[in-house]
Amino acid sequence: GAGVSQSPSNKVTEKGKDVELRCDPISGHTALYWYRQRLGQGLEFLIYFQGNSAPDKSGLPSDRFSAERTGESVSTLTIQRTQQEDSAVYLCASSLNPLRFGGGPYEQYFGPGTRLTVT
Amino acid sequence: KQEVTQIPAALSVPEGENLVLNCSFTDSAIYNLQWFRQDPGKGLTSLLLIQSSQREQTSGRLNASLDKSSGRSTLYIAASQPGDSATYLCAVTGNTGKLIFGQGTTLQVKP
């Protein structure tokens, strides 16, 4: 079946502009995660959605970053007034309910990422 | 705060060698540990997932072990091939399901 998809695959923007990144999770996956990977660094957790629960925003680096998710489908990550330090690959992942009773977190499936370059 | 460390940061071996990649984590209260492969310009591919109650998982030439009490995992690659060249990432899952990643080990297998 279809995996996690992300768009655009590449985005070049000028400093100060706003950008929107999109993630389409695997159908039926209630959990959705955004991660960021800056050049030469590891992956950093940004935000996590689980069903209709309040999202875990603990990884968002500043108030310029926000994300929304419509039900259990598409999510958009918005970065306002982009800065050069925002340049990174933004990865989205989805999984089944990670904390269902009797089980632990499920395997996360990653999309190909969006490479954002802020000039 | 959970921290994940991978050693070595980079590794270069001739084709055919067996090799071991190391991962350590500071908080043993994990649900599972995953090993991923990342190729340049591409997303992550999950290689092996070990639940906290398990000791190891095997897939083909790959074997991953987990010692939760000591906070360690190893990824063993047998008979390495040039196609194994990639960055290998270790990640542990905490109580919300979010992954905490190590910095990765970049592997080069020379023909």
Side-chain angles (χ1 to χ4, degrees), chain A residues 35 37 42 58 99 105 107-108, chain B residues 31-32 38 46 95 97 99 103:
Chain A
Y35 297 88
Q37 186 175 32
S58 60
L99 296 176
E107 182 175 356
Q108 292 182 25
Chain B
Y31 278 99
N32 60 42
Q38 185 174 35
S46 179
N95 60 1
L99 293 167
Q103 298 281 14

Side-chain angles (χ1 to χ4, degrees), chain A residues 29-48:
Chain A
H29 280 190
T30 58
L32 187 147
Y33 305 81
W34 284 97
Y35 297 88
R36 174 173 77 171
Q37 186 175 32
R38 288 186 281 190
L39 187 64
Q41 300 188 23
L43 277 85
E44 306 169 75
F45 164 78
L46 296 178
I47 188 169
Y48 155 59

Side-chain angles (χ1 to χ4, degrees), chain A residues 53-97:
Chain A
S53 302
D56 176 353
K57 303 179 181 179
S58 60
L60 294 179
S62 78
D63 58 9
R64 296 186 295 103
F65 287 71
S66 62
E68 293 184 349
R69 187 181 187 193
T70 305
E72 295 181 354
S73 61
V74 171
S75 174
T76 56
L77 176 69
T78 301
I79 309 173
Q80 295 178 311
R81 305 180 303 281
T82 52
Q83 303 293 313
Q84 288 185 332
E85 70 243 28
D86 299 334
S87 295
V89 176
Y90 289 83
L91 291 160
C92 173
S94 71
S95 75
L96 296 171
N97 185 344

